C-alpha cells in the first residue's frame, strides 16, 4: 500500500514525518483548541455516558442483544415510539483507536434520531488487546448482517463510524456478503474523522496494544482494498460521506480526502466535507443536539428517495444534509443541492425540500 499518501516525489507523505511528528499527527486530543487534551478526552467520555443513560431511561430499547457467540458481540437497539419493524436503521461503530470505548458510552445520537422515527443500533466489538483487527472487522460485518436478518422489512440501513469506527464502517463498505448469507439493505455511509490507511499507525504508540504488523495494517486498510485489490461497489448508488472536523490533524484530513477520492475512482458516490469549528471529539458530541448535523440526514434523504431511485441525479452534495440546521452551519435554509456527478459529470440539479 505504498501508494497511499504519495507526494510529488513518489514517497508516501507520512513517511516524510519524523517519529515525533507522526506521533503528534495521530494523537487527536493534541489538536483540540477549546480545552486541554486530557480534559477533552474526559469530556467526550462523560457526554457519551450521559447520553447513553438518557437513551436507556427514555427510549424503548433492547439492550445487550447478542449478534454472535462471543462475549463482546453485543448491540443495543433503540426504537422510536411507534412500533414497527419497517424503519430506517442507523448503525453506529464507536471509536477509541480499536483499544478503548464501548457501546455503553456511545449513544450520542439516539434521542435525536429516534425522535425522527429512526431506530438506532450501537454495536460493541472486542477491542484490543482481547480482539485483533481481523476479528473486529469480521464482527462489525456480522453485526450488520444480523440487523438485516432480524429486521428484513427495514427501510434502509445507514452505517456511521467515528475515528476507529469509521475505519470499521469503511471495511463493511467493502465486505463480500456471500459468506454472510444476506446482502444488507445499505442506504448510506457516514465516515467521521476516520483512518483508512493503517500503515502510519504501526510506527506510533497507538500500536502498542494492537501489535499490528505492516501486513496486518495492509490487509485491514480500506484504502489498499480500493487501490490495490480494486474493490467494486455492491451498490454504486449507495452514497458515502467522508467527513472530518476542521480541527482534526492534517494527517486525518489527508486520510479522509484520499479515501473519498479513491472511492470516487472506484465507482462509489462519495462526498468529502470538512465540518467547520469542530474537533475530533466535538464532531460526535454535538450529535446529542436535536438540531445538529447528522440528525437531519434521514428526514432529507427520505424526501430525496424518489429522485435517487429514478436516477435523476448523479450525486448528492451531503454538506447540507449533514449540517443543515446546525448552529455551526452556514446553510440556514432548506434548499438542497444535488450536485457533483461522481461518474465524472458535473450536472447540478436544484430541488427544494419542504420540512
Amino acid at each position: 500500500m505504498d501508494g497511499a499518501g504519495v507526494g510529488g516525489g513518489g514517497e508516501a507523505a507520512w513517511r516524510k514525518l519524523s517519529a515525533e511528528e507522526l506521533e503528534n499527527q495521530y494523537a487527536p486530543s493534541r489538536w483540540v483548541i477549546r480545552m486541554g487534551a486530557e480534559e477533552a478526552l474526559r469530556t467526550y467520555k462523560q457526554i457519551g455516558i450521559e447520553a447513553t443513560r438518557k437513551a436507556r431511561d427514555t427510549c424503548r430499547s433492547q439492550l445487550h442483544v447478542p449478534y454472535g457467540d462471543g462475549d463482546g458481540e453485543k448491540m443495543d437497539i433503540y426504537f422510536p415510539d411507534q412500533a414497527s419493524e419497517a424503519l430506517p436503521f442507523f448503525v453506529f461503530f464507536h471509536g477509541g483507536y480499536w483499544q478503548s470505548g464501548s457501546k455503553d458510552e456511545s449513544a450520542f445520537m439516539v434521542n435525536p434520531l429516534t425522535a425522527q422515527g429512526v431506530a438506532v443500533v450501537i454495536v460493541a466489538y472486542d477491542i484490543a488487546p482481547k480482539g485483533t483487527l481481523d476479528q473486529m472487522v469480521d464482527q462489525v460485518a456480522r453485526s450488520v448482517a444480523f440487523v438485516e436478518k432480524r429486521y428484513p422489512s427495514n427501510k434502509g440501513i445507514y452505517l456511521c463510524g467515528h475515528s476507529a469506527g469509521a475505519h470499521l464502517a469503511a471495511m463493511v463498505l467493502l465486505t463480500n456478503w456471500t459468506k454472510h448469507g444476506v446482502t444488507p439493505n445499505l442506504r448510506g455511509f457516514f465516515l467521521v474523522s476516520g483512518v483508512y490507511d493503517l500503515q502510519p499507525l504501526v510506527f506510533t504508540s497507538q500500536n502498542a496494544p494492537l501489535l499490528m504488523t505492516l501486513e496486518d495494517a495492509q490487509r485491514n486498510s480500506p484504502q489498499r482494498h480500493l487501490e490495490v485489490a480494486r474493490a467494486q461497489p455492491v451498490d454504486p448508488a449507495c452514497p458515502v460521506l467522508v467527513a472530518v472536523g476542521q480541527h482534526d490533524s492534517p494527517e486525518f484530513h489527508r486520510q479522509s480526502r484520499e479515501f473519498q477520492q479513491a472511492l470516487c475512482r472506484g465507482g462509489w458516490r462519495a462526498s468529502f466535507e470538512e465540518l467547520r469549528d469542530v474537533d475530533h471529539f466535538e464532531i460526535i458530541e454535538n450529535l446529542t443536539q436535536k438540531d445538529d448535523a447528522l440528525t437531519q440526514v434521514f428526514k432529507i434523504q427520505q424526501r430525496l428517495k424518489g429522485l435517487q431511485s429514478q436516477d435523476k441525479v448523479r450525486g448528492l452534495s451531503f454538506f447540507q444534509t449533514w449540517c443543515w440546521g446546525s448552529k455551526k452551519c452556514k446553510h440556514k435554509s432548506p434548499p438542497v443541492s444535488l450536485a457533483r456527478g461522481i461518474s465524472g459529470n458535473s450536472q447540478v440539479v436544484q430541488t427544494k425540500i419542504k420540512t
Side-chain angles (χ1 to χ4, degrees):
M1 178 148 125
D2 292 336
V6 172
E11 182 181 12
W14 63 268
R15 291 188 181 276
K16 299 178 182 180
L17 300 174
S18 68
E20 182 180 0
E21 290 171 328
L22 191 65
E23 182 74 20
N24 191 54
Q25 287 288 326
Y26 286 96
S29 60
R30 298 182 185 180
W31 296 83
V32 175
I33 62 174
R34 59 194 167 100
M35 60 181 66
E38 292 301 320
E39 185 180 0
L41 292 170
R42 288 194 301 270
T43 299
Y44 178 78
K45 182 172 185 176
Q46 188 59 39
I47 291 175
I49 290 172
E50 292 174 357
T52 303
R53 183 184 300 118
K54 179 180 179 181
R56 291 178 176 180
D57 288 345
T58 60
C59 295
R60 293 195 307 119
S61 64
Q62 296 175 7
L63 303 179
H64 318 304
V65 177
Y67 63 84
D69 297 328
D71 291 339
E73 297 177 352
K74 303 289 194 299
M75 61 173 61
D76 294 340
I77 310 174
Y78 300 89
F79 299 94
D81 289 337
Q82 65 269 32
S84 172
E85 292 186 359
L87 297 167
F89 281 77
F90 180 92
V91 179
F92 182 68
F93 305 133
H94 67 80
Y97 263 140
W98 309 276
Q99 59 201 265
S100 65
S102 164
K103 72 175 178 59
D104 300 320
E105 54 190 49
S106 299
F108 297 93
M109 70 297 295
V110 166
N111 283 91
L113 289 185
T114 54
Q116 291 190 15
V118 179
V120 180
V121 180
I122 312 296
V123 177
Y125 52 90
D126 285 319
I127 58 177
K130 179 181 179 180
T132 66
L133 274 172
D134 291 293
Q135 290 170 333
M136 296 179 221
V137 168
D138 178 64
Q139 285 176 325
V140 296
R142 285 191 288 112
S143 76
V144 176
F146 176 86
V147 172
E148 178 65 31
K149 292 175 182 178
R150 189 179 179 93
Y151 302 103
S153 300
N154 71 76
K155 291 186 177 180
I157 297 175
Y158 299 80
L159 297 192
C160 178
H162 172 236
S163 197
H167 158 265
L168 294 173
M171 292 296 284
V172 172
L173 176 67
L174 304 173
T175 296
N176 181 342
W177 295 104
T178 303
K179 70 174 185 178
H180 296 282
V182 67
T183 300
N185 183 25
L186 297 172
R187 287 291 177 256
F189 284 77
F190 306 95
L191 310 179
V192 185
S193 294
V195 179
Y196 311 102
D197 169 13
L198 304 190
Q199 270 193 126
L201 291 170
V202 173
F203 305 98
T204 71
S205 63
Q206 305 294 350
N207 194 34
L210 296 169
L211 301 176
M212 273 193 302
T213 65
L214 280 173
E215 291 75 18
D216 294 331
Q218 291 174 349
R219 185 173 59 255
N220 289 291
S221 289
Q223 186 86 20
R224 177 180 175 83
H225 285 270
L226 290 173
E227 296 186 343
V228 177
R230 303 296 182 187
Q232 296 295 313
V234 174
D235 180 4
C238 183
V240 183
L241 170 65
V242 185
V244 67
Q246 178 182 347
H247 301 302
D248 267 310
S249 75
E251 269 293 282
F252 271 81
H253 279 252
R254 178 188 67 78
Q255 290 244 7
S256 293
R257 286 195 183 93
E258 292 187 0
F259 188 60
Q260 181 264 339
Q261 291 164 2
L263 285 169
C264 291
R265 289 193 298 269
W268 273 267
R269 283 178 51 206
S271 300
F272 167 83
E273 300 298 349
E274 174 190 293
L275 301 188
R276 63 191 183 100
D277 298 334
V278 294
D279 55 51
H280 188 83
F281 307 98
E282 202 174 15
I283 199 171
I284 292 296
E285 292 170 3
N286 287 349
L287 296 184
T288 58
Q289 304 168 15
K290 65 179 181 179
D291 65 343
D292 189 78
L294 196 53
T295 59
Q296 303 297 324
V297 169
F298 294 96
K299 181 187 296 183
I300 296 177
Q301 280 201 346
Q302 290 303 307
R303 301 292 180 88
L304 290 172
K305 191 174 182 180
L307 277 175
Q308 293 173 3
S309 64
Q310 297 173 44
D311 196 28
K312 291 183 178 179
V313 294
R314 296 283 185 174
L316 174 62
S317 178
F318 275 100
F319 184 60
Q320 288 92 338
T321 61
W322 177 277
C323 76
W324 174 63
S326 169
K327 294 176 182 178
K328 295 180 180 295
C329 180
K330 63 184 179 182
H331 297 275
K332 292 302 181 183
S333 58
V336 175
S337 298
L338 301 178
R340 288 207 297 266
I342 301 305
S343 63
N345 296 328
S346 58
Q347 176 183 1
V348 177
V349 179
Q350 295 288 336
T351 183
K352 180 165 288 191
I353 297 174
K354 297 178 182 179
T355 58

